[in-house]
Structure formats: structure tokens, C-alpha cells
Amino acid sequence: LYFCFPQMSANDCQDPPKYWTIHGLWPDKTEECNRTWHFNVTEIKDLMADMRHYWPDVLHSSLNRTQFWKHEWEKHGTCAATLQILNSQKKYFGKALELYQHIDLNSCLLKAGIKPSSSYYQMTAIKEALTRFYGVTPKIQCLPPEEGEKAQTIGQIEFCFTKELQLRNCTALKGESDPMQADLKLGTEELSVCSDTFPTYYPSQVQ
């Protein structure tokens, strides 16, 4: 999911969705990326309705709406394509949509009683609810507290999969770099793994 933050320009984040959307499907241990394999939107024309709904570019205005998918394919999809199950644009985007619908994060959070609110949550309570529901621990990323603020803002929930696309725990090994580091900037801020100690704000919409 993304949120629209005050630092962002007026052209960005027009009418953001009020539900969790897809950021991407990222292989984290492959160097075999075919950077010459360029994005071709006609290959995913059958997926277009679902792509616009579940995988919108919420950070930029809709005039150039395929730019986000192009970026995700060229940076991550061309690496993921080393797996047979993801070895075409249609398979890559189609499988990401399938995983999103299988995880069904929107209804899981609601069932756990975690919904956008003006009061704060404890990060440990959110983690426990998700782990109870999925049987694995996802990686939750936040926008750190601003100067003078005490709360972090939840911004992205990342699920990890095996090569067979089965859910697994998201545990970074010591010294392993985060493949997502600096991939998503909100204004001047970057998302980082949420702290267990800060109160956590889960806004319905921030603009």
C-alpha cells in the first residue's frame, strides 16, 4: 500500500484508493536480469482492468499510468523471469495479481480489527495479528516520525515467498542488504522497517 503524504506535489496522488494496492513482486537473490527486455503494455491487455484497480500508480497522476508497471517490469520482472512460473510479462503481472488476491490483506486486517484510525496502534499487535492469520511474519514498513512527532505511519506491508511462491517468513539475514532500500520515496522521506517501540498511525488517507 501507499499513502499520499503532505510533502507530495498537488499533481500527485489524485484520489488515492482507500485499500491496499500492489507495489511489486521482487526477486531478492538473482543477478540474471535481462535489461534489454523492454516493457510492452499490449502483452498485459487482458489484465488491464485488474491492473488499474489493484496495481495503480498512486504516487503520480494518471496521465502516464503505465510508467509504474514499466519500472517494475524492467527493474524486477526481468529478474523474476528466470523462474519458469514468471517468465513472461503476462505471467509476472498475472501471478502478482493472483498472490495479492490470495493474501487478501484488506479483509485480513479488518477481521483482525485493525483499521484506519485517528488513535495509535502498537506495531507488535499488528505483527502478531498478521502472523496469526498467515502463519508467517511479513515485513512492515513505515514513514518514521517527523520532527517533533512521536508516531510512525504505516506505509507498506511486504510478504515474502519461496521460489515456489509459497509464503515464508520475511527475515533478513545478518548483513544482508534490503533489496527494497530506497526503492520508494515519499516526498523526501523513505520508508524503512517499522520500529516496535513507536506508536503507529494507520491513516485512512493522508493528503
Side-chain angles (χ1 to χ4, degrees):
L1 160 100
Y2 300 126
F3 283 119
C4 299
F5 290 93
Q7 312 91 305
M8 304 178 75
S9 77
N11 295 332
D12 294 337
C13 269
Q14 301 293 316
D15 303 318
K18 291 188 168 72
Y19 50 87
W20 292 85
T21 61
I22 300 171
H23 182 171
L25 180 61
W26 310 302
D28 62 354
K29 290 189 180 68
T30 179
E31 276 98 52
E32 299 171 53
C33 308
N34 181 357
R35 299 294 184 205
T36 61
W37 191 351
H38 295 302
F39 177 69
N40 178 358
V41 77
T42 59
E43 289 186 34
I44 57 167
K45 61 180 186 300
D46 299 352
L47 305 174
M48 217 42 124
D50 281 349
M51 290 290 290
R52 288 196 178 116
H53 188 71
Y54 301 119
W55 200 329
D57 184 345
V58 300
L59 294 185
H60 306 100
S61 61
S62 58
L63 294 172
N64 208 357
R65 67 175 62 200
T66 63
Q67 276 305 106
F68 180 37
W69 305 333
K70 177 180 187 290
H71 167 79
E72 288 301 309
W73 168 255
E74 290 175 358
K75 182 167 183 185
H76 304 291
T78 58
C79 310
T82 55
L83 291 180
Q84 196 173 352
I85 199 169
L86 301 172
N87 68 359
S88 70
Q89 285 178 52
K90 186 154 188 190
K91 284 187 191 176
Y92 172 74
F93 289 104
K95 186 53 77 173
L97 288 164
E98 206 179 292
L99 292 170
Y100 168 88
Q101 283 162 328
H102 173 68
I103 285 169
D104 197 9
L105 182 60
N106 294 290
S107 69
C108 160
L109 287 168
L110 272 179
K111 282 178 192 157
I114 299 166
K115 40 187 183 279
S117 167
S118 55
S119 53
Y120 298 129
Y121 287 94
Q122 290 303 316
M123 181 46 59
T124 47
I126 295 175
K127 272 190 197 157
E128 279 163 21
L130 291 170
T131 302
R132 215 167 40 241
F133 201 90
Y134 293 107
V136 294
T137 308
K139 178 160 66 178
I140 308 176
Q141 292 172 316
C142 289
L143 203 61
E146 285 185 35
E147 197 99 11
E149 299 274 308
K150 60 172 183 175
Q152 61 192 350
T153 302
I154 194 166
Q156 181 162 278
I157 295 180
E158 195 174 319
F159 286 89
C160 299
F161 298 90
T162 64
K163 280 186 177 173
E164 294 70 44
L165 301 182
Q166 300 298 309
L167 278 170
R168 66 167 179 86
N169 285 325
C170 292
T171 44
L173 302 169
K174 265 201 169 65
E176 185 182 309
S177 68
D178 178 357
M180 266 304 299
Q181 211 62 53
D183 198 34
L184 180 60
K185 269 197 155 175
L186 298 166
T188 55
E189 297 282 357
E190 280 171 17
L191 288 175
S192 54
V193 174
C194 304
S195 158
D196 281 349
T197 55
F198 292 134
T200 304
Y201 182 41
Y202 178 2
S204 56
Q205 196 170 311
V206 184
Q207 267 189 308

